[in-house]
Amino acid sequence: MNSKYIKIMEDIKLRLEDGSLIAGSKLPSVRQLSEYFSCSKNTVIKAYAELEKEHLIYSVPKSGYYVVNEYQKATEGNEVIDFLSAGPDKNVMPYVEFQHCMNQAIDQYKEELFTYSDQQGLYSLRVQLVKYLQNLQVFTQPERLVVVSGSQQALHLLVSMPFPNGKNNILIEQPTYFGIIESINLHQATTFGIELSMDGIDLDRLEYIFRNNDIKFFYIIPRFHNPLGHSYTNGEKKKIVELAEKYDVYIVEDDILGDLDPNPKSDPLFSFDPSGRVIYIKSLSKIFLPGLRIGTVVLPALMMNNFLRYKFSSDFNSSALSQGALEIYLKSGMFNSHLKKVKEVYRTKMQILQEACELLLPANTSFSKPNSGFYLSISLPENVKAKQVVHMLNEQHIYVDDASRMFLAEYKKENLVRLCISQVNESQIKLGVERLAHCIALIDSRKKHGTPNNFLLI
């Protein structure tokens, strides 16, 4: 059986997928393609005929073959496979229970709804948050907590405000959460990066940067890092805190996925210096209801007044209704039972994703191996760009993230893809990875052989 015509069809479809061929584009002549692929003209005619049957191209007598429309390739039944969205799994969110709490909050906190409430946040909520944080090995008092409108607000304020050490520069892991990079860019803050892999960071390099670069704070995601999924050991965290103390650097610890840690002995950086060197940020957006826009930050006493001034200029105070409802939810014990459920859901999904990657990804890729959390990253072959993969998979209604926006310009990598397991159905994970693997192999193969671009330039 002559399979050469199938290869020709695949090459043309690839060009349709990546946008090199658009509606109205003229294809190479039968003679040109037969020479290029070293095959008979009949083979090319057969390939073109099959593409016509699929309504992808059409022929004009005495002129040639043309593209009908932009290529749209859907998954079976147009089903979306979403490895992009990073909100919590909608199927395990406690809508009904929280609705009860919201109704109670309206009754209980109606006066606060008609006034501006405590700038630091409802005291009764801060009491409940202190109890909740104890489960994460964060021991503090309500007076050191500020309720914020999600962790992003806390980060934005910390980037902009002066710190007690009088320093101005910021250090971030590379790659890292896109939101901090955006805040840094908006404030035009001088920023340094330190490379992070699943093996961690170079602690000697960290000390060098602390010693020589006037660092105000080091922003770090200690558990289930975004986008890599990396987690530090307790020993590494302790050493990082010691270096920060030695060189008068603050640490901003974003422990957004700390609740999902299956290791009960894993501690936050805060536990190694609870006095104020480590500023601890906790959002509930990933494990609970992101629309609440509620998070908390634990600050040293000497930073409290300044932080509250900056917060006041931003939004006076966070939503009293959201705060009241969350307080009731935490106090009732419903949150703890919800947390047990979501921990198991995400751990299982991550296990399925890793098994699929191990089984299906091409040998010249590598992927991170977190034991829980939301994120897993795939390093593509050097000649395969993440944006090409994203574009090709979008056409099939499979969504993944190009992680290039999670780097500072001088560290940028264009071959890192982030997969998020939070909103993809368990039953779709293997199919999604299969399509991703096929896409990587297809682009890699064409790049190596120069086929996709070259034959169109004949």
Side-chain angles (χ1 to χ4, degrees):
M1 180 183 171
N2 185 355
S3 61
K4 187 64 75 81
Y5 83 91
I6 294 173
K7 179 169 171 42
I8 296 170
M9 288 175 67
E10 284 180 351
D11 284 330
I12 291 171
K13 283 182 179 180
L14 178 67
R15 295 296 90 206
L16 292 167
E17 288 175 345
D18 70 11
S20 299
L21 287 171
I22 59 172
S25 293
K26 185 177 181 180
L27 293 161
S29 70
V30 170
R31 179 185 59 78
Q32 287 171 321
L33 276 195
S34 68
E35 289 175 2
Y36 186 83
F37 283 100
S38 303
C39 64
S40 70
K41 290 180 182 178
N42 284 340
T43 299
V44 179
I45 290 168
K46 181 173 174 58
Y48 277 169
E50 291 298 319
L51 290 168
E52 275 196 279
K53 284 181 191 174
E54 293 181 30
H55 307 292
L56 298 175
I57 67 172
Y58 64 97
S59 60
V60 177
K62 297 183 181 178
S63 178
Y65 290 87
Y66 296 83
V67 176
V68 176
N69 277 309
E70 281 88 350
Y71 186 61
Q72 293 292 330
K73 185 178 178 185
T75 56
E76 292 157 10
N78 282 329
E79 200 169 20
V80 166
I81 301 179
D82 185 1
F83 286 117
L84 178 63
S85 300
D89 188 327
K90 297 183 180 81
N91 298 313
V92 290
M93 288 301 101
Y95 300 113
V96 176
E97 295 96 323
F98 198 73
Q99 189 173 18
H100 294 313
C101 297
M102 193 69 86
N103 291 336
Q104 285 183 51
I106 291 170
D107 289 337
Q108 195 168 323
Y109 292 105
K110 45 183 168 290
E111 284 186 23
E112 281 83 354
L113 297 180
F114 293 99
T115 60
Y116 293 113
S117 58
D118 189 330
Q119 264 187 275
Q120 262 186 258
L122 291 175
Y123 187 80
S124 54
L125 171 60
R126 284 186 278 135
V127 169
Q128 292 305 317
L129 287 170
V130 165
K131 291 177 182 175
Y132 156 62
L133 292 177
Q134 287 173 2
N135 297 323
L136 294 160
Q137 300 304 303
V138 172
F139 297 96
T140 187
Q141 307 83 36
E143 290 72 27
R144 284 187 57 190
L145 260 66
V146 178
V147 175
V148 286
S149 304
S151 59
Q152 182 60 42
Q153 183 186 42
L155 292 175
H156 195 70
L157 297 177
L158 291 168
V159 166
S160 62
M161 66 182 272
F163 270 50
N165 59 11
K167 300 179 181 182
N168 298 309
N169 302 331
I170 294 169
L171 176 65
I172 59 177
E173 298 161 309
Q174 284 296 275
T176 194
Y177 165 54
F178 176 65
I180 185 92
I181 293 178
E182 270 292 87
S183 290
I184 283 165
N185 289 339
L186 283 171
H187 287 101
Q188 299 180 322
T190 302
T191 307
F192 294 85
I194 184 163
E195 288 190 45
L196 174 72
S197 71
M198 287 304 281
D199 296 323
I201 56 174
D202 181 338
L203 292 171
D204 291 335
R205 174 74 183 151
L206 182 69
E207 181 166 14
Y208 177 86
I209 295 170
F210 279 0
R211 186 171 59 237
N212 295 297
N213 291 290
D214 197 41
I215 300 299
K216 174 168 95 166
F217 70 76
F218 175 29
Y219 171 72
I220 182 170
I221 305 171
R223 299 193 265 197
F224 312 122
H225 177 271
N226 178 11
L228 298 182
H230 166 268
S231 295
Y232 291 90
T233 66
N234 280 354
E236 288 168 330
K237 291 177 212 170
K238 187 170 185 289
K239 179 65 174 171
I240 290 166
V241 173
E242 286 170 358
L243 289 173
E245 184 67 43
K246 182 177 178 180
Y247 294 102
D248 193 17
V249 173
Y250 282 84
I251 293 172
V252 173
E253 178 177 20
D254 189 347
D255 198 25
I256 191 163
L257 293 173
D259 306 83
L260 303 182
D261 200 333
N263 178 7
K265 294 183 178 175
S266 173
D267 295 326
L269 284 100
F270 185 91
S271 67
F272 296 103
D273 187 352
S275 64
R277 179 62 53 190
V278 180
I279 296 163
Y280 182 85
I281 299 175
K282 188 76 192 79
S283 166
L284 300 175
S285 295
K286 299 302 183 196
I287 52 166
F288 195 44
L289 301 169
L292 272 185
R293 302 311 304 140
I294 292 289
T296 191
V297 54
V298 184
L299 292 158
L302 76 168
M303 288 184 67
M304 184 61 73
N305 288 341
N306 223 7
F307 187 88
L308 289 175
R309 279 188 66 199
Y310 274 74
K311 185 175 184 339
F312 179 81
S313 71
S314 170
D315 68 351
F316 288 96
N317 56 260
S318 300
S319 162
L321 183 57
S322 292
Q323 290 184 63
L326 180 58
E327 184 234 323
I328 292 165
Y329 189 73
L330 288 169
K331 199 170 184 178
S332 70
M334 286 190 276
F335 182 79
N336 286 334
S337 58
H338 164 71
L339 192 54
K340 282 179 191 168
K341 190 193 302 181
V342 297
K343 278 178 86 163
E344 187 55 31
V345 166
Y346 296 134
R347 191 193 63 77
T348 302
K349 283 188 183 183
M350 186 59 77
Q351 193 175 341
I352 293 168
L353 177 58
Q354 286 194 25
E355 286 169 0
C357 288
E358 194 72 53
L359 186 67
L360 299 165
L361 287 180
N364 57 352
T365 63
S366 62
F367 63 94
S368 59
K369 297 173 184 177
N371 58 2
S372 186
F374 275 26
Y375 307 111
L376 177 149
S377 286
I378 299 169
S379 293
L380 306 172
E382 283 299 326
N383 61 344
V384 178
K385 298 283 187 284
K387 65 181 177 183
Q388 296 170 304
V389 173
V390 169
H391 181 82
M392 189 181 286
L393 289 175
N394 277 355
E395 300 293 340
Q396 303 175 52
H397 302 283
I398 299 169
Y399 304 121
V400 300
D401 203 0
D402 173 1
S404 62
R405 65 198 172 97
M406 299 171 188
F407 291 90
L408 296 169
E410 61 268 36
Y411 288 87
K412 186 154 287 191
K413 289 182 182 173
E414 297 185 331
N415 67 328
L416 191 70
V417 169
R418 185 191 76 173
L419 303 189
C420 180
I421 49 90
S422 63
Q423 291 197 19
V424 66
N425 292 333
E426 280 184 24
S427 59
Q428 295 176 311
I429 291 173
K430 189 173 179 183
L431 174 62
V433 174
E434 202 173 291
R435 298 282 175 85
L436 170 61
H438 176 72
C439 169
I440 294 167
L442 200 59
I443 295 173
D444 188 36
S445 168
R446 300 308 185 265
K447 285 286 177 75
K448 281 175 180 169
H449 297 99
T451 306
N453 296 312
N454 296 347
F455 84 80
L456 292 170
L457 300 175
I458 298 171

